[in-house]
Every structure is written in C-alpha cells, then in structure tokens.
Amino acid sequence: MRALITGITGQDGSYLADFLLSKGYDVTGMVRRSSTETFERIAHIKHRLTLKQADLLDQLSLIKIMEEVKPDEIYNLAAMSFVPTSWIQPTLTGEFTGIGVTRMLEAMRQVCPTARFYQASSSEMFGKVREVPQTELTPFHPRSPYGVAKVYGHFITVNYRESYNLFAVSGILFNHESPRRGKEFVTRKISDGVARIKRGLQKELRMGNLDAQRDWGFAGDYVKAMWLMLQQKQPDDFVVATGEAHSVREFIELAFDHVGLNWKNHVVVDPEFLRPAEVEHLLGDSSKARRMLGWKPEVNFRQLVHSMVDADLDRLKDQGG
Ligand code: NAP
Ligand code: F7E
C-alpha cells in the first residue's frame, strides 16, 4: 500500500508515518521548500521515507506529486495550525487551511479518484459550543480564522464525497499532544517551561487564559483513528476525543507537581497571550468512533502530562543543573 502524507514534518505527520511504516506501507511525505530543513520529527525514519516537494498553495505541484506517487491513501495533515497566528495572517490561513483542501481534492479527483482521502478537521470548528459534549451532529460556531478555514475544509471534503463519489472522510479531532508538539501550543509550552525552570534555565512562565478547558489526548493514539477511518467500507466522518476535559490550570498544576514545584511561584498571567475570541470549553463524544472503528485512547491525561514533562527534562539535561 502506498500512502501520501501532507504535513509529514509536523507532530501528527511524524506519528502517522511511524504507524504506517510499522504496517508495511510505502510512505511518501510532501514537504514544502524551506531555506533550512524542518525534518527533526522524522529524523529517526527519514531513510525509510520518500520525501517530495510540493505546496498546498500550488495546484500543479499537487497534481504532479499524485501522478508520481499514485497513492492508495492520502492523509491531508498540512495546515497553518496555530490559532493565534490565524488572526495575524487570516487570508493566508484561509489559503493553506481552507482552499488548500480543495486543491488536494481536485488533484485527487483528476489523477487518482479511487484513492482514499483523510481530511484533518478540528474541534475548533465547534468554537462557541452549541451543546456539551460535541458529536458529529453538533452545529459549528468557529471562533478564529483558523476555525473558519477548518469548517470550509470539512464541508468541501463532504461535498467532494457527495458530488463525485470520492472516498473522502473528515476526522474531527480534539486536541492531541505529545513530546513532539510545537512549543507554542499550550501543553508543550508548559512542559518545556516546567523543565526549564526545574533545570534552572528560566524562572517564570508567562501564560494566557488558565480557565480554558480542552479534551486532551495523545497524538500517537489519534493517528490510529485516522488510519481506521480509511479502512472502512463506507466513507464517513468521526469525532475523535477522550471524553474528559481539563483546564489549562489543571495541566499546569500536574506538570509542576511532577517535578516537586509549586506553580503559583512561577506562573504569571500575561494579557499578551489572551485571544480576541476564546474557545472556553471543548469536550468530545467519540462514541461513534469507539463503536464503528473499535478505537479508544490508550494514554490518559496524567500519563500525557508526565510523559511530556519527562521528555523535556531529558532533552534539557545537559544544559542546566
Ligand atoms: P503541525 O505540527 O503544525 O504541522 C503542520 C504541518 O503542515 C507541517 O508539516 C507544515 O510544514 C505543514 N504545512 C504548513 N503549510 C504548508 C503548505 N503551504 N504546504 C505544505 N505543507 C505545509 O500540526 P499538527 O498538530 O501535526 O496537526 C496536523 C493537522 O491536524 C493540521 O491540519 C491541524 O490543523 C490539524 N489538527 C490538529 C489537532 C491537534 O491537536 N494537533 C487537532 C485537530 C486538527 P513545515 O514543517 O514546513 O512548517
Ligand atoms: O491552546 C489557552 C488558549 O494553542 C489551548 C491546535 O492544534 O487544537 C489546537 O488549538 C488553550 C486555548 O491549542 C496559553 O487560550 C492559555 O484556550 O494549545 P493551544 P488550541 O487553540 O486549542 C485544535 C484542536 C487545533 O485544531 C489546532 O490546530 O490554551 N492558553 N495560555 C494558551 N495557549 C497558548 N498557545 N499559549 C498560552 O500561553
């Protein structure tokens, strides 16, 4: 089986590549040209991957990569994925995260219409939530240009499935984290900050809204759900979540406790990290995925927090005390 992954250099792309290689797939990763390589997360498997240059902004490059790879499965994980940046670059976010999905679907429709397509949709589409917990049927009310672009990506995937009979699915994934998470996202910012403070490299951690609540899972568990969605008889959309919500404050407390420090001595709330419109509370109901895919999360909240702090402590061990 041949898989094409866009966004292979990101958190999820790297876990998905690990997983597909373990299943014997021939994996091609789409990468965009950069003056410096961003292959840190896939360094351990790079020799087993084929990497090809293309860009979500460039239709011809997407057509060409599909002609060359002839994929059986396409995982569209590439996006501008950091919510605060979407207010600074709203139209570029729309191009990457929204219209980029149409470019991928068009390339697939023209070159390899029998391939199976996974779109990385997001719980940010629920935004100002209409009901708790959120399911596949909960209406969307996105609260950022990122969320709006993801709603477009979701519906264009559904529309191409219905218009052209493509096997195209949308995975509505709630927040998922890991030691490979980008450092600006809240969980990794906390685990990295705690490790730096413990190692004597930093004294305080400046944070935004501590009351926000998220349904946080482990990225390694979530990429399995992506694959399972493409193994079904019929294309369908699924919510993937743990069913447990925790606040940013709880994450902070658990992370500092883990290294024997009191968070109140180190955390400073800084208005710079507040958002123009906030998503206060997300909680997913993944019973459809559990029932139809046989999927369930393996890593719980405490294990997730501890593993992220431990990984950052380990990474910084030669740099501090
Ligand atoms: P990530 O770590 O930010 O990775 C994003 C990837 O997209 C990177 O490989 C990046 O490449 C690539 N990319 C960005 N713009 C591109 C372009 N124009 N052309 C080609 N590649 C481009 O994100 P992630 O956490 O792995 O998330 C994967 C996907 O799932 C994203 O679509 C995200 O929006 C979505 N999602 C994530 C979560 C979550 O909690 N992690 C939840 C729901 C949905 P560079 O290395 O070159 O920057
Ligand atoms: O924020 C609050 C912040 O940036 C989580 C992306 O993967 O998941 C992610 O989006 C919460 C928010 O993720 C800080 O206000 C407090 O309420 O880790 P985050 P996100 O915005 O939920 C979804 C599902 C995606 O699809 C996205 O691609 O934490 N928060 N203080 C903070 N957030 C950050 N980043 N930094 C802070 O200092």
Side-chain angles (χ1 to χ4, degrees), residues 182-199:
K183 280 191 198 156
E184 72 267 68
F185 296 92
V186 77
T187 57
R188 184 74 197 288
K189 182 174 169 181
I190 297 166
S191 66
D192 181 61
V194 166
R196 284 180 179 280
I197 291 168
K198 184 67 181 173
R199 295 273 182 229

Side-chain angles (χ1 to χ4, degrees), residues 76-90:
N76 185 36
L77 310 186
M80 198 310 285
S81 76
F82 189 50
V83 172
T85 298
S86 76
W87 277 286
I88 299 167
Q89 301 178 347

Side-chain angles (χ1 to χ4, degrees), residues 190-191 194-195 255 258-259 304-314:
I190 297 166
S191 66
V194 166
H258 187 52
V259 298
L304 177 67
V305 176
H306 288 180
S307 69
M308 290 180 71
V309 173
D310 288 340
D312 278 318
L313 277 173
D314 197 44

Side-chain angles (χ1 to χ4, degrees), residues 59-68 70-71 74 101-115 117 160 164 166:
Q59 182 75 66
L60 276 181
S61 70
L62 300 178
I63 290 173
K64 188 149 176 281
I65 198 171
M66 289 194 202
E67 285 172 348
E68 286 174 7
K70 300 182 179 61
I74 300 166
V101 186
T102 313
R103 292 193 191 97
M104 287 293 293
L105 286 162
E106 259 312 298
M108 168 173 153
R109 185 170 84 86
Q110 288 182 28
V111 178
C112 47
T114 58
F117 182 87
Y160 268 56
Y164 304 115
L166 299 180

Side-chain angles (χ1 to χ4, degrees), residues 81 122 146 175 181 184 186 189 208-209 212 214 275 278:
S81 76
S122 164
Y146 169 80
N175 299 51
R181 185 58 140 157
E184 72 267 68
V186 77
K189 182 174 169 181
N209 178 12
R214 290 291 184 275
R275 299 178 179 185
E278 176 63 295

Side-chain angles (χ1 to χ4, degrees), residues 6-13 30-32 34 38 41 54-57 76-82 96-97 119-123 146 150 171-177 180-182 185 226:
T6 74
I8 196 165
T9 56
Q11 171 188 257
D12 290 8
M30 185 183 109
V31 293
R32 53 179 170 168
S34 162
T38 54
R41 295 186 179 99
D55 199 296
L56 288 178
L57 299 184
N76 185 36
L77 310 186
M80 198 310 285
S81 76
F82 189 50
F96 280 176
T97 306
Q119 168 56 17
S121 292
S122 164
S123 52
Y146 169 80
K150 281 289 178 187
I172 306 174
L173 272 52
F174 282 62
N175 299 51
H176 45 278
E177 318 295 315
R180 298 185 200 166
R181 185 58 140 157
F185 296 92
M226 298 176 184

Side-chain angles (χ1 to χ4, degrees), residues 129-169:
V129 298
R130 305 276 182 91
E131 60 180 1
V132 181
Q134 295 85 50
T135 73
E136 293 78 7
L137 300 175
T138 304
F140 299 138
H141 185 149
R143 294 274 279 171
S144 63
Y146 169 80
V148 173
K150 281 289 178 187
V151 171
Y152 175 90
H154 169 80
F155 278 125
I156 201 70
T157 303
V158 173
N159 180 262
Y160 268 56
R161 176 168 80 221
E162 294 175 354
S163 304
Y164 304 115
N165 209 19
L166 299 180
F167 194 112
V169 307

Side-chain angles (χ1 to χ4, degrees), residues 21 66 113 244-245 273 320:
L21 287 173
M66 289 194 202
E244 251 184 60
F273 297 108

